[in-house]
Amino acid sequence: MSMMVNSPLFDDVDILAGALYAWCAERSIKLHSQEGLSAANVAINLYEAGYQTQDRLLGALHEHEFH
């Protein structure tokens, strides 16, 4: 059984992970913290709303108000 490494699903995960890791690193936030998990949820929602490149998604995360 072989896996398709260049599938659209892996592209989605790479975009989401790249933007999220960059956002967390900029703020010295651990991904598994409450803030990191909150940002992951926001990133998924933003991605589904059309921010589907790493740069656009990271920019949208920068503009999002986190509480």
Side-chain angles (χ1 to χ4, degrees):
M1 184 172 163
S2 66
M3 293 182 60
M4 296 188 60
V5 176
N6 291 330
S7 74
L9 175 61
F10 285 104
D11 292 341
D12 295 344
V13 171
D14 285 344
I15 291 167
L16 282 163
L20 185 58
Y21 289 141
W23 187 89
C24 286
E26 291 169 356
R27 288 158 179 76
S28 299
I29 295 172
K30 294 186 182 216
L31 182 59
H32 291 98
S33 69
Q34 186 60 41
E35 288 176 290
L37 295 174
S38 176
N41 187 48
V42 170
I44 291 167
N45 290 336
L46 289 168
Y47 186 85
E48 290 174 344
Y51 296 90
Q52 296 186 344
T53 67
Q54 188 169 331
D55 289 338
R56 290 191 69 221
L57 184 54
L58 184 56
L61 282 169
H62 286 148
E63 294 175 7
H64 185 78
E65 294 285 331
F66 287 89
H67 301 276

